[in-house]
Amino acid sequence: MSLIEVRDLTKTFPYKNSTVTILRGINLSIEEGETLCVVGESGCGKTTFGKILAGLHSCSGGSYRYDGQEVNTFTKKQSVSFRRNMQLIHQNPYESLNPSSMVFDMISAPLKHHRKIRNFSELYRETAALLEMVGLTPVEDFIDKYPTYLSGGQRQRVSIARVLSMNPKSIVVDEATSMIDTSMRISLLDTLKRIQRELKVSYLYITHDLALGRYFAWEHRLAVMYLGQIVELGPTPKLIGDPLHPYTKAILSAGDIEGRESYDLKGVDIPSFHALPPGCSLSPRCPQMIEGVCTVTEPVLSDIGDGRWVSCHLYREE
Amino acid sequence: MSPDDWILDIQNLFIDYRTKRGNLHAVHDASLRIRPGESVAVIGESGCGKTTLAASIVKMLPLNADIRSGSITYKPRKGKSVSIHSSSEQTMRTLRWSEIVMMFQASQSSFNPVTKIYTQFLDTARAHRMKLTSQQVLKRSRELLELVYLNGDAVLNSYPHELSGGMKQRTLIALSLLLDPQLIILDEPTTALDLITQKRILLLLNSLRKSHNFSMIFITHDLGIVTQLADRVVTMYAGAVVEDSPSSEFFADPKHPYSVGLLRAIPKLNAAFEHLYSIPGSTPDLVRRIDGCLFSPRCEHSHDRCLREVPQLRSVGGHRLAACHLYEEVTV
């Protein structure tokens, strides 16, 4: 049984007097201790998906099971334990930390409330251990600082420590490095990877930067999202080394890898969610479009062996 | 194109921001020269002064900024050189957009949301006293829009919110070419766009640069863009230019330890992971400046001299400049 299991998940938002569907049938699962990286361009629905997994939004249709239990049918007690086990690291550490509380207060508050630690010296010990784990050492230099004194990377480490204080089983990491200086991103990702090895936590890592996703999820799996659907899912080295879906090929080609054949989509603009093309949503831009098939029937994400899944008529079994 | 031929020359520029904590030295002894038809990338982390430097070229610095010393000189296609730092607001108004175009970050939001695109083309032409009738301006606008792969008539009759991000960006490029400028400055031109649209726009800009003969300065922290677009790469750190190299040489053999670190800090789609690392430490406080080289606390090659003496930007062979004590001056 997977820790996170999502079947035909949809999300619809009200829009003017009608509705718009942002997530259109997502199927995936995440095991304990595994990383799944979701890559997609801005506006493809990846953040909405992250919020649903984190329990901030409910889904409109389909099923989302956490630890074998349907999230929509949680009892109050189950819901409390779900919120403890599932945590979210926000994109912008300049807004996600309270500017008027010290690092110690921010990390010890959840320890007090949820782990019922009341003794000060014990709280201090626990907080220091968490700061050490996220690499904010020497601890004495950071524990009594306010967020204003910290750099973006250090702030993001504080928010990781705060999340870890709950001892979660899974963490949604939404573009956690995009606000951090380029020269410090790798060390933050390395810290997250080390924490995963030590604590066996699962990550859903959301990013628009394929190269960062490749680095972070190299031993794990990568999913490519386009207009609210997963178009390709597979082990990272295979997906990057030998992309199957035309959209994956195109974004890899745009990333300008030398020695790779250039692969361009037709047209320039992404269709809007309000006027989706019939059939495959990539069909108007796809250079390998099959007339009469792709423009009519919507492809489904299907298993093609080797742990790889792709949603494209080109790989359909006859 | 002779090496002495230039259109923009920035010499030893110092810009301070007045803050509560004291003066923040955002740009510190920066020098830069742009040649005709050239495309220059300015790279560096947030807070290194790259946006401040760009804003000073069009004299659009925030009110709490002061140019303490240095000079910025611009040479128009016709007429004599203009010294930007000492020219009046009136002179600047005629220069902006007709000679030097500045496209700010998230420039898609620079359109007026309540008027249609054609009004904004006409207004631009009128504000700069173009000697054309409205019909002629619209005809030219349509041609420019078609040049950037847009349907001219449809776009001119749209409101900005009816266009997608990529379309707005291209409309803005068309609008910037309306007055035939000599220099286009782009601050993070593609951050709001996805990879595929980004690549299209960069290729487009590069071909327009050749056909319309303008120079480009673009400010970015995305090195992928730089490889595709730049002739020359200028690296900034803590307000100073630390390296200035031709693009191909920069990527093959970066000189300044900061450039080396920056290149190693960015994961690529095809490279092995062993070389990836983060530069230790964090960016310096620009209010309380330390003595010596500002990069020295993070630099693995730092030695006594680095702590005492600020390295000057100097030639290190070929057309390359670097500000580091590791390299002795090479006289050609």
Side-chain angles (χ1 to χ4, degrees):
Chain A
M1 184 180 64
S2 310
L3 182 65
I4 289 170
E5 200 153 344
V6 169
R7 288 285 160 262
D8 300 318
L9 183 120
T10 58
K11 178 71 187 172
T12 304
F13 287 103
Y15 178 80
K16 289 185 178 163
N17 291 319
S18 89
T19 56
V20 54
T21 304
I22 300 297
L23 296 178
R24 306 186 293 137
I26 307 263
N27 284 301
L28 53 82
S29 58
I30 304 176
E31 307 297 325
E32 250 170 77
E34 192 200 23
T35 299
L36 178 72
C37 174
V38 175
V39 187
E41 55 203 72
S42 51
C44 76
K46 55 191 195 302
T47 296
T48 307
F49 182 62
K51 284 185 172 167
I52 290 177
L53 285 201
L56 296 181
H57 281 317
S58 59
C59 53
S60 315
S63 127
Y64 168 26
R65 283 165 172 271
Y66 188 86
D67 225 354
Q69 266 284 330
E70 190 63 44
V71 170
N72 278 340
T73 63
F74 273 163
T75 60
K76 197 159 184 206
K77 205 172 154 205
Q78 284 172 321
S79 155
V80 168
S81 106
F82 167 71
R83 292 212 179 271
R84 233 178 265 166
N85 285 328
M86 172 57 103
Q87 294 291 329
L88 172 69
I89 297 173
H90 294 274
Q91 182 168 7
N92 188 346
Y94 292 89
E95 286 173 356
S96 64
L97 300 179
N98 181 347
S100 63
S101 46
M102 277 192 281
V103 170
F104 174 76
D105 297 328
M106 278 188 278
I107 296 171
S108 63
L111 292 173
K112 273 190 229 163
H113 288 294
H114 293 274
R115 308 240 307 255
K116 310 286 180 220
I117 304 173
R118 293 288 143 84
N119 178 312
F120 181 80
S121 60
E122 205 179 322
L123 266 182
Y124 191 92
R125 217 169 38 240
E126 283 286 323
T127 309
L130 284 167
L131 288 178
E132 229 160 78
M133 170 149 254
V134 296
L136 287 175
T137 47
V139 170
E140 303 77 55
D141 285 0
F142 294 99
I143 200 158
D144 55 355
K145 287 277 178 358
Y146 287 95
T148 8
Y149 293 100
L150 305 177
S151 72
Q154 290 167 343
R155 284 174 201 228
Q156 204 58 293
R157 282 169 197 272
V158 171
S159 66
I160 296 171
R162 185 172 63 175
V163 156
L164 290 178
S165 68
M166 302 296 296
N167 208 359
K169 282 189 191 166
S170 48
I171 304 176
V172 174
V173 186
D174 187 1
E175 300 267 17
T177 53
S178 64
M179 300 293 290
I180 298 174
D181 281 338
T182 333
S183 67
M184 292 186 280
R185 288 185 184 164
I186 293 299
S187 73
L188 192 88
L189 292 182
D190 285 343
T191 305
L192 285 171
K193 282 179 151 185
R194 178 172 49 79
I195 289 167
Q196 182 173 49
R197 280 195 299 274
E198 287 168 15
L199 305 176
K200 295 268 170 294
V201 41
S202 315
Y203 290 125
L204 176 79
Y205 181 74
I206 298 170
T207 183
H208 68 276
D209 187 334
L210 202 54
L212 275 181
R214 170 182 179 262
Y215 177 69
F216 190 65
W218 186 249
E219 293 90 8
H220 299 275
R221 291 186 302 153
L222 202 84
V224 180
M225 206 164 173
Y226 180 72
L227 282 173
Q229 287 176 324
I230 303 279
V231 294
E232 186 166 356
L233 179 92
T236 310
K238 287 184 189 155
L239 193 144
I240 300 273
D242 172 30
L244 297 175
H245 196 279
Y247 181 69
T248 318
K249 289 183 191 170
I251 52 175
L252 277 166
S253 159
D256 211 28
I257 299 186
E258 291 146 38
R260 197 187 283 254
E261 228 176 292
S262 110
Y263 189 95
D264 289 325
L265 294 182
K266 292 183 287 187
V268 192
D269 298 300
I270 320 156
S272 103
F273 274 108
H274 301 288
L276 289 171
C280 172
S281 44
L282 190 69
S283 60
R285 301 171 75 192
C286 180
Q288 285 173 279
M289 190 260 290
I290 311 164
E291 195 66 56
V293 179
C294 300
T295 47
V296 180
T297 330
E298 204 172 337
V300 285
L301 191 65
S302 31
D303 190 350
I304 55 151
D306 255 3
R308 303 188 64 170
W309 296 70
V310 63
S311 159
C312 180
H313 290 301
L314 291 172
Y315 304 96
R316 201 175 49 166
E317 274 183 43
E318 294 307 325
Chain B
M1 184 173 86
S2 86
D4 295 327
D5 199 7
W6 51 268
I7 58 164
L8 181 80
D9 188 34
I10 301 174
Q11 287 295 336
N12 306 90
L13 190 68
F14 288 78
I15 300 173
D16 283 3
Y17 284 112
R18 293 183 302 273
T19 67
K20 277 184 200 153
R21 292 195 300 136
N23 280 352
L24 187 147
H25 312 291
V27 174
H28 197 82
D29 202 2
S31 301
L32 179 65
R33 191 172 264 194
I34 308 291
R35 290 179 266 274
E38 190 180 38
S39 153
V40 176
V42 178
I43 61 168
E45 293 170 84
S46 49
C48 73
K50 51 193 197 300
T51 300
T52 309
L53 183 74
S56 72
I57 299 172
V58 283
K59 216 176 181 187
M60 287 183 78
L61 288 166
L63 288 174
N64 66 337
D66 290 320
I67 296 186
R68 274 203 305 142
S69 66
S71 69
I72 309 168
T73 319
Y74 173 75
K75 209 189 265 175
R77 285 201 179 106
K78 284 174 225 143
K80 56 180 199 298
S81 304
V82 188
S83 141
I84 298 226
H85 56 288
S86 58
S87 60
S88 66
E89 185 56 26
Q90 207 176 354
T91 325
M92 286 313 297
R93 285 183 118 188
T94 55
L95 276 185
R96 283 183 206 132
W97 215 267
S98 63
E99 288 281 343
I100 309 174
V101 167
M102 171 92 192
M103 281 193 218
F104 286 98
Q105 212 163 341
S107 47
Q108 293 96 316
S109 42
S110 1
F111 286 105
N112 181 347
V114 296
T115 59
K116 289 191 173 174
I117 299 291
Y118 76 87
T119 331
Q120 311 195 26
F121 274 86
L122 286 176
D123 284 350
T124 308
R126 200 174 309 132
H128 287 275
R129 301 198 175 76
M130 260 179 113
K131 291 184 188 72
L132 293 176
T133 64
S134 298
Q135 288 312 316
Q136 287 170 311
V137 172
L138 287 179
K139 183 166 169 281
R140 185 163 157 71
S141 310
R142 221 169 287 128
E143 287 164 8
L144 288 170
L145 286 167
E146 263 141 39
L147 210 59
V148 297
Y149 311 123
L150 288 168
N151 178 339
D153 285 315
V155 169
L156 284 175
N157 281 309
S158 307
Y159 285 102
H161 74 265
E162 295 173 297
L163 307 173
S164 74
M167 288 165 85
K168 270 187 259 186
Q169 183 88 27
R170 279 177 285 144
T171 309
L172 194 66
I173 292 173
L175 181 59
S176 71
L177 295 176
L178 184 67
L179 302 171
D180 210 7
Q182 191 181 200
L183 176 64
I184 298 186
I185 305 166
L186 302 124
D187 189 359
E188 300 282 1
T190 54
T191 34
L193 305 171
D194 65 273
L195 262 176
I196 294 170
T197 322
Q198 184 175 314
K199 187 185 178 190
R200 289 272 162 85
I201 288 182
L202 296 179
L203 292 175
L204 179 70
L205 273 171
N206 235 359
S207 68
L208 288 175
R209 173 164 67 96
K210 285 170 191 127
S211 60
H212 285 67
N213 187 30
F214 55 83
S215 306
M216 262 190 323
I217 302 178
F218 59 96
I219 297 162
T220 184
H221 59 258
D222 183 348
L223 294 183
I225 300 186
V226 177
T227 37
Q228 298 181 24
L229 209 58
D231 300 332
R232 202 147 62 87
V233 181
V234 171
T235 315
M236 283 186 79
Y237 183 75
V241 173
V242 295
E243 181 167 352
D244 184 338
S245 294
S247 177
S248 52
E249 289 168 44
F250 176 80
F251 285 100
D253 170 34
K255 289 287 182 198
H256 196 279
Y258 176 67
S259 316
V260 177
L262 202 59
L263 284 181
R264 280 182 57 190
I266 294 163
K268 285 169 206 71
L269 279 169
N270 56 345
F273 296 132
E274 293 98 67
H275 294 294
L276 279 178
Y277 94 131
S278 285
I279 305 175
S282 53
T283 41
D285 183 351
L286 296 177
V287 175
R288 293 183 195 86
R289 291 186 82 93
I290 54 166
D291 290 334
C293 172
L294 285 176
F295 188 61
S296 61
R298 301 174 76 185
C299 181
E300 54 192 8
H301 305 289
S302 133
H303 52 278
D304 290 352
R305 197 172 161 206
C306 303
L307 303 178
R308 276 182 283 112
E309 194 187 323
V310 180
Q312 295 300 312
L313 193 65
R314 59 191 168 207
S315 167
V316 292
H319 295 290
R320 312 190 60 175
L321 306 171
C324 181
H325 290 310
L326 284 179
Y327 305 101
E328 288 311 315
E329 175 134 29
V330 179
T331 39
V332 187

